[in-house]
């Protein structure tokens, strides 16, 4: 009997130890699962928070990309012939100049290095303004700074006031907004093809052909000579149903400065014709 009791006691003890070990093992496993679960929840929460933070930072708008290593390729055919006799400027009326470029600036730094060369010619100043408009469409802060670089101070307020209403991505749902406005000045683009320009982008300009728009010499408001140029716009419908006309812009050559700047250009940001209802094409944003 003693031997039987001894074996029964040993078996009970072994069972107790086994149960205790199993319990300890299960507890450790549960702790591990709880720890892993906490880590997983933390990772998921961090991921969600990072997405929310990115959305808050972007405010639903596109962020300017990094500056391309290669600058915009710009080519100008000819230049406006200008001679000075004292303060009197003489030009060749109706003289034409063409400017081509391969892309639009992606950010302010990209614009600045391009405009440093464009500002050396009157035609370049006009094209520079189109590039600044394009930049403004995507980033109003950078676009405003670009416009400040290529406009006389008297012209900035009116320009930005109009662009903020008719050429801003924030207004894209407004029928008054025209994202194709800049494209209307590029060769090949017209309402009938949803303003799809040919590449490289081409802008055609000419010196105003009329004697009544002869260069204006400086007044008490500014020091320099104001030249009236014209830029070809494909977004104006003529009486015969065709599209295209010249629009006036005024470029200022300041006394003592080698560079030019935009002086007055209400026609440049005037509305153009809507995309034709006869086409199934849609406007593609310029790159």
């Amino acid at each position: 009997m003693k031997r039987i009791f001894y074996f029964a006691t040993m078996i009970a003890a072994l069972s107790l130890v086994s149960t205790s070990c199993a319990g300890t093992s299960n507890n450790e496993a549960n702790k591990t699962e709880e720890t892993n679960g906490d880590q997983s929840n933390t990772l998921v929460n961090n991921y969600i928070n990072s997405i929310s933070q990115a959305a808050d930072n972007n405010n639903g708008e596109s962020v300017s990309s990094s500056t391309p290593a290669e600058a915009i390729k710009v080519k100008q055919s000819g230049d406006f012939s200008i001679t000075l006799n004292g303060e009197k400027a003489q030009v060749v009326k109706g003289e034409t100049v063409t400017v081509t470029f391969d892309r639009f600036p992606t950010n302010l730094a990209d614009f600045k290095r391009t405009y440093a060369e464009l500002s050396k010619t009157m035609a370049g100043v006009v094209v520079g303004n189109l590039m600044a408009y394009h930049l403004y469409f995507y980033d109003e802060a950078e676009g405003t700074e670009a416009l400040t670089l290529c406009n006389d101070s008297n012209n900035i307020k009116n320009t930005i006031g109009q662009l903020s209403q008719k050429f801003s991505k924030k207004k894209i749902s407004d029928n008054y907004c025209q994202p194709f406005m800049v494209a209307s000045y590029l060769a090949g683009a017209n309402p009938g093809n949803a303003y799809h320009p040919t590449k490289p982008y081409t802008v055609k300009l000419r010196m105003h052909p009329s004697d009544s728009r002869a260069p204006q010499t400086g007044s008490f408001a500014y020091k320099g000579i104001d030249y009236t140029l014209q830029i070809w716009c494909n977004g104006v419908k003529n009486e015969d149903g065709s599209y295209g006309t010249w629009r006036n812009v005024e470029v200022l050559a300041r006394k003592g400065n080698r560079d030019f700047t935009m002086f007055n250009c209400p026609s440049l940001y005037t509305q153009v014709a809507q995309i034709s209802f006869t086409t199934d094409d849609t406007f593609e944003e310029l790159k």
Side-chain angles (χ1 to χ4, degrees):
M1 285 295 291
K2 290 182 179 180
R3 185 175 294 178
I4 294 173
F5 177 77
Y6 174 77
F7 281 118
T9 303
M10 289 294 294
I11 291 172
L14 288 173
S15 297
L16 181 62
V17 171
S18 176
T19 303
S20 177
C21 290
T24 301
S25 178
N26 288 338
N27 287 337
E28 292 298 326
N30 289 337
K31 289 180 180 179
T32 301
E33 289 178 1
E34 289 174 1
T35 301
N36 289 339
D38 291 340
Q39 290 176 344
S40 298
N41 290 335
T42 300
L43 291 174
V44 171
N45 289 333
N46 288 342
Y47 181 65
I48 292 173
N49 290 334
S50 67
I51 293 175
S52 299
Q53 183 65 41
D56 290 339
N57 291 339
N58 289 341
N59 291 323
E61 299 177 9
S62 60
V63 179
S64 297
S65 59
S66 59
T67 305
E70 191 171 353
I72 298 172
K73 295 183 178 68
V74 181
K75 182 179 179 181
Q76 180 172 318
S77 63
D79 199 359
F80 294 115
S81 304
I82 303 171
T83 58
L84 295 177
N85 180 13
E87 290 189 354
K88 184 177 181 181
Q90 296 177 334
V91 301
V92 178
K93 295 177 173 60
E95 187 176 35
T96 60
V97 170
T98 300
V99 180
T100 61
F101 55 101
D102 62 335
R103 63 177 178 82
F104 280 87
T106 61
N107 56 28
L108 183 61
D110 197 19
F111 172 83
K112 284 182 175 180
R113 67 179 178 184
T114 302
Y115 190 68
E117 292 300 317
L118 289 174
S119 64
K120 295 177 181 179
T121 68
M122 288 191 288
V125 165
V126 181
V127 172
N129 270 262
L130 293 180
M131 290 183 177
Y133 287 11
H134 180 269
L135 188 58
Y136 181 91
F137 183 79
Y138 294 96
D139 190 313
E140 291 188 5
E142 290 200 338
T144 297
E145 190 168 343
L147 288 165
T148 302
L149 290 173
C150 57
N151 280 266
D152 190 66
S153 58
N154 77 310
N155 195 48
I156 296 173
K157 183 178 180 180
N158 290 338
T159 300
I160 293 177
Q162 290 298 311
L163 292 182
S164 65
Q165 298 300 315
K166 68 179 62 172
F167 198 64
S168 168
K169 206 155 193 177
K170 294 178 180 179
K171 299 281 187 177
I172 198 67
S173 60
D174 191 336
N175 290 332
Y176 189 58
C177 181
Q178 296 195 313
F180 42 80
M181 185 177 69
V182 167
S184 71
Y185 295 100
L186 306 177
N190 60 71
N193 66 3
Y195 289 104
H196 287 173
T198 56
K199 287 190 176 182
Y201 299 127
T202 302
V203 178
K204 186 168 66 173
L205 304 107
R206 74 177 182 182
M207 187 65 69
H208 200 289
S210 172
D211 290 336
S212 63
R213 299 302 297 232
Q216 307 287 320
T217 55
S219 66
F220 68 91
Y222 63 93
K223 297 290 186 179
I225 301 175
D226 176 29
Y227 297 89
T228 302
L229 310 181
Q230 292 185 319
I231 181 172
W232 184 259
C233 178
N234 300 300
V236 179
K237 190 172 184 179
N238 302 311
E239 292 183 359
D240 62 0
S242 63
Y243 287 94
T245 192
W246 293 101
R247 285 184 162 181
N248 294 348
V249 294
E250 297 175 46
V251 177
L252 178 67
R254 287 198 188 96
K255 187 175 182 179
N257 286 8
R258 298 181 61 184
D259 294 351
F260 298 92
T261 188
M262 184 68 79
F263 183 66
N264 190 35
C265 59
S267 294
L268 197 62
Y269 47 73
T270 297
Q271 280 191 295
V272 295
Q274 296 290 341
I275 294 174
S276 175
F277 69 90
T278 61
T279 181
D280 293 328
D281 291 337
T282 56
F283 176 68
E284 297 177 1
E285 295 181 356
L286 303 173
K287 301 296 183 181

